[in-house]
């Protein structure tokens, strides 16, 4: 069984292949076009944020350090629930980007999704009914998914999460109460 991120990559590759087959303009694949595109990219302005230099013992990928302006050791975590901390990087009406830290064995509350959620595992692991997600894996969740992620016992789990709509808590009231108090 493929992990959801592998399914997404396969779908994107098929879509890109279909797009290439439908092309009618020979220039789009020419060496001159490629060289001009690469030259335009190289001459373009850098993004508004810069990549921080590597730090000794850093666990946060360089692009995320550039985005947050911090390293993992200096993130100002906020307690969300017992055994679950959060650092909101950016929030707007349409999207929320955050870092999440969960203690080993922590079960997150059962929840569904009102929109797309993308979660990159930076450190540690978690699992749900779809399988196990470890460092470098991306969990893709949408309106069709209702799950209860559980952090592995080997150590804390740190994730970068992008939500395009709020989550919706689900499950029995007793289970939800236990999840909220960290049992």
């Amino acid at each position: 069984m493929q992990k959801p991120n592998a399914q997404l990559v396969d779908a994107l590759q098929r879509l890109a292949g279909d797009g290439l087959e439908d092309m009618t303009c020979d220039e789009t694949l020419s060496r001159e076009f490629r060289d001009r595109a690469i030259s335009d990219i190289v001459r373009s302005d850098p993004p508004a944020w810069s990549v921080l230099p590597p730090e000794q013992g850093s666990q946060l990928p360089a692009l995320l350090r550039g985005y947050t302006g911090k390293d993992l050791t200096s993130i100002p975590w906020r307690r969300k629930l017992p055994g679950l901390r959060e650092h909101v990087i950016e929030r707007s009406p349409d999207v929320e980007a955050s870092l999440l830290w969960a203690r080993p064995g922590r079960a997150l509350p059962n929840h569904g999704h009102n929109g797309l959620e993308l979660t990159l595992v930076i450190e540690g692991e978690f699992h749900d009914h779809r399988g196990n997600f470890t460092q470098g894996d991306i969990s893709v969740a949408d309106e069709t998914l209702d799950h209860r992620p559980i952090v592995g016992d080997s150590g804390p789990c740190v994730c970068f999460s992008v939500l395009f709509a709020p989550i919706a808590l689900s499950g029995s009231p007793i289970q939800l109460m236990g999840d909220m108090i960290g049992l």
Side-chain angles (χ1 to χ4, degrees):
M1 178 171 118
Q2 280 187 323
K3 290 186 179 178
N5 54 320
Q7 293 170 341
L8 177 63
V9 169
D10 288 346
L12 291 173
Q13 287 176 334
R14 281 194 304 278
L15 184 63
D18 292 345
L20 285 172
E21 287 178 2
D22 293 343
M23 286 182 156
T24 56
C25 180
D26 292 335
E27 181 187 347
T28 57
L29 297 178
S30 73
R31 181 178 295 259
E32 178 185 340
F33 176 80
R34 183 200 67 199
D35 292 345
R36 190 172 57 243
I38 291 172
S39 177
D40 289 347
I41 291 169
V42 170
R43 284 194 315 259
S44 66
D45 292 331
W49 47 270
S50 62
V51 175
L52 297 176
E55 292 187 21
Q56 190 75 13
S58 172
Q59 298 296 323
L60 206 55
L63 288 174
L64 280 177
R65 277 189 289 120
Y67 181 42
T68 63
K70 299 172 179 21
D71 189 33
L72 195 55
T73 57
S74 60
I75 295 294
W77 298 105
R78 182 182 66 83
R79 183 177 175 211
K80 191 168 176 95
L81 294 170
L84 180 63
R85 299 178 192 149
E86 176 183 51
H87 172 66
V88 176
I89 302 166
E90 182 175 349
R91 181 180 284 145
S92 74
D94 299 321
V95 69
E96 178 179 298
S98 340
L99 290 170
L100 298 169
W101 177 97
R103 69 167 163 74
R106 176 64 159 105
L108 278 64
N110 204 79
H111 63 276
H113 299 269
N114 294 314
L116 190 62
E117 176 188 44
L118 304 172
T119 304
L120 168 67
V121 180
I122 296 169
E123 185 178 289
E125 64 177 325
F126 75 88
H127 64 275
D128 61 16
H129 68 278
R130 300 171 298 160
N132 199 42
F133 295 87
T134 61
Q135 185 177 8
D137 288 341
I138 298 172
S139 167
V140 178
D142 63 13
E143 296 87 354
T144 64
L145 181 67
D146 191 276
H147 66 148
R148 184 175 188 238
I150 301 172
V151 175
D153 292 327
S154 61
C157 185
V158 178
C159 294
F160 171 63
S161 175
V162 179
L163 280 171
F164 293 93
I167 63 169
L169 296 177
S170 60
S172 74
I174 292 173
Q175 181 186 28
L176 184 58
M177 182 62 77
D179 289 343
M180 299 298 251
I181 62 174
L183 297 177

